Amino acid sequence: GAVVSQHPSWVICKSGTSVKIECRSLDFQATTMFWYRQFPKQSLMLMATSNEGSKATYEQGVEKDKFLINHASLTLSTLTVTSAHPEDSSFYICSVPDAGVGTDTQYFGPGTRLTVL
Amino acid sequence: AQSVTQPDIHITVSEGASLELRCNYSYGATPYLFWYVQSPGQGLQLLLKYFSGDTLVQGIKGFEAEFKRSQSSFNLRKPSVHWSDAAEYFCAVGARSGGSNYKLTFGKGTLLTVNP
């Protein structure tokens, strides 16, 4: 399957600071990428849809000013957690849909574990 | 809105035994259904998917799943489990979000432990 990378894989930051997480599609270009968060022992929850060349679309209840998404190119999307607080500690995962004919598959990155002290 | 229920949080089986992981969904239209596996340090990997057609779907690693509309279920099965199958398994339902993309709603997952 296609390869999706995330950087960093693990980050610890102090409360009040901002953290940027990168998601890269290494095998194909993607006009859309998805961002999820996963709490321990919980399911993945879709946060937002990242759109290349336009604004991200956020799910209900997700603060767009707190979770800034930039789809800088067809292979890169970034999620910035601004003024992070301990409750933002979570596992953040991106996915890249392969919209090629007959595929309809989303490929997931390995995730980024954020710990806010 | 769609939802997915995985009734079993944790399942333990012996190596070589058969496996069935349960998944029930709620969705107003014809669902797109998926099973993913998540291993520590790795991204979610697609095991199989159902969009239409034959209700028995074959996937990778010897897994299969059966879509039963009357029961709103999409249970995952494997006839003989290997120790390497130990992981977290997620069932998901997809809803079109415009264009060719769809949004996934995941269940809470089932952790599979395999005893030697």
Side-chain angles (χ1 to χ4, degrees):
Chain A
V3 177
V4 178
S5 70
Q6 285 185 236
H7 178 79
S9 57
W10 178 56
V11 57
I12 300 176
C13 70
K14 293 182 179 180
S15 184
T17 61
S18 295
V19 175
K20 180 185 286 187
I21 302 169
E22 293 184 348
C23 175
R24 291 184 184 274
S25 174
L26 302 182
D27 288 349
F28 55 84
Q29 296 180 333
T31 56
T32 299
M33 295 184 183
F34 297 101
W35 285 97
Y36 297 82
R37 66 185 299 181
Q38 183 182 25
F39 291 105
K41 307 298 184 184
Q42 296 290 323
S43 177
L44 284 79
M45 299 294 292
L46 179 64
M47 297 175 64
T49 303
S50 174
N51 303 300
E52 193 269 338
S54 63
K55 292 182 179 180
T57 305
Y58 291 82
E59 296 301 301
Q60 191 173 10
V62 177
E63 301 175 59
K64 59 183 66 176
D65 293 331
K66 181 166 191 61
F67 299 99
L68 300 180
I69 291 174
N70 181 30
H71 203 125
S73 72
L74 289 172
T75 59
L76 172 65
S77 175
T78 60
L79 169 68
T80 301
V81 184
T82 63
S83 187
H85 291 283
E87 57 265 30
D88 299 322
S89 297
S90 189
F91 197 52
Y92 292 88
I93 303 171
C94 70
S95 75
V96 178
D98 181 359
V101 175
T103 58
D104 261 339
T105 297
Q106 288 191 25
Y107 295 97
F108 286 80
T112 296
R113 184 162 303 283
L114 170 64
T115 301
V116 184
L117 302 176
Chain B
Q2 61 270 23
S3 66
V4 177
T5 301
Q6 292 181 248
D8 304 305
I9 297 174
H10 188 189
I11 284 183
T12 299
V13 299
S14 298
E15 190 169 17
S18 63
L19 172 70
E20 182 170 36
L21 302 182
R22 296 183 291 166
C23 172
N24 294 96
Y25 68 90
S26 174
Y27 185 56
T30 301
Y32 299 134
L33 295 164
F34 307 81
W35 274 99
Y36 283 87
V37 60
Q38 185 181 36
S39 299
Q42 298 185 22
L44 275 78
Q45 182 181 21
L46 179 67
L47 289 175
L48 46 78
K49 61 186 178 184
Y50 171 79
F51 279 22
S52 64
D54 193 348
T55 56
L56 184 62
V57 182
Q58 301 298 320
I60 63 171
K61 303 184 179 184
F63 286 94
E64 66 177 25
E66 186 171 11
F67 169 58
K68 293 185 177 180
R69 185 186 298 275
S70 62
Q71 299 177 21
S72 297
S73 69
F74 189 56
N75 294 348
L76 181 71
R77 301 193 294 250
K78 187 169 184 178
S80 178
V81 171
H82 189 262
W83 64 266
S84 61
D85 293 324
E88 184 109 35
Y89 291 80
F90 291 94
C91 180
V93 61
R96 283 293 180 192
S97 63
S100 60
N101 295 313
Y102 52 86
K103 295 182 180 181
L104 291 176
T105 299
F106 286 86
K108 292 191 175 182
T110 297
L111 178 64
L112 175 65
T113 298
V114 181
N115 288 332

